[in-house]
Amino acid sequence: MTFGRMLVALILVGTTTTGCYVHRPTELGPTPSTLNPPPRTYVRLYDGTQFRLRDGAIRGDTLYGLRGTRAVAIPQSAIRRVTVSEASGGRTALAIAGVAGAALGFWFLLIASSGGI
């Protein structure tokens, strides 16, 4: 594998990890952001169960969506917390810089160990 390909692979791995995302708590209510929650919505119930909800929507006092491939309807009284996962520009930039720095350090070590420096 060439150095360029290795660098691209490291950057892709670094930028596709969960470190580029931030989880923010959100309130359930009749606001535009919660009437149709974002694709990465996580629900924690009072009984301790937590799961990812897809295609969520609030109707009345119930949260509807898909849990895996199964349709669910959850009353708001059973929900302890709802968080959404959003891409973080700052974390992504730090991840790219860190991966690029690690690749540069690795490259420097390769050159130094081959007697090039």
Side-chain angles (χ1 to χ4, degrees):
M1 178 182 281
T2 67
F3 174 73
R5 287 185 183 190
M6 182 176 59
L7 181 61
V8 169
L10 286 173
I11 289 173
L12 288 175
V13 168
T15 58
T16 57
T17 62
T18 58
C20 296
Y21 290 89
V22 61
H23 294 273
R24 299 183 195 276
T26 187
E27 296 292 324
L28 289 178
T31 63
S33 64
T34 58
L35 286 175
N36 293 305
R40 293 179 184 257
T41 302
Y42 299 89
V43 178
R44 177 178 285 197
L45 304 179
Y46 279 107
D47 67 3
T49 306
Q50 38 183 30
F51 55 90
R52 181 175 174 188
L53 184 75
R54 293 185 302 117
D55 301 328
I58 297 174
R59 287 184 225 110
D61 66 345
T62 305
L63 177 63
Y64 295 90
L66 294 173
R67 180 180 179 187
T69 57
R70 191 177 57 132
V72 294
I74 308 153
Q76 285 190 21
S77 60
I79 299 172
R80 179 178 194 151
R81 182 181 196 172
V82 175
T83 58
V84 294
S85 179
E86 302 168 336
S88 169
R91 287 186 179 191
T92 301
L94 285 174
I96 290 171
V99 169
L104 188 61
F106 181 71
W107 179 71
F108 179 76
L109 286 175
L110 282 175
I111 295 215
S113 68
S114 68
I117 294 182

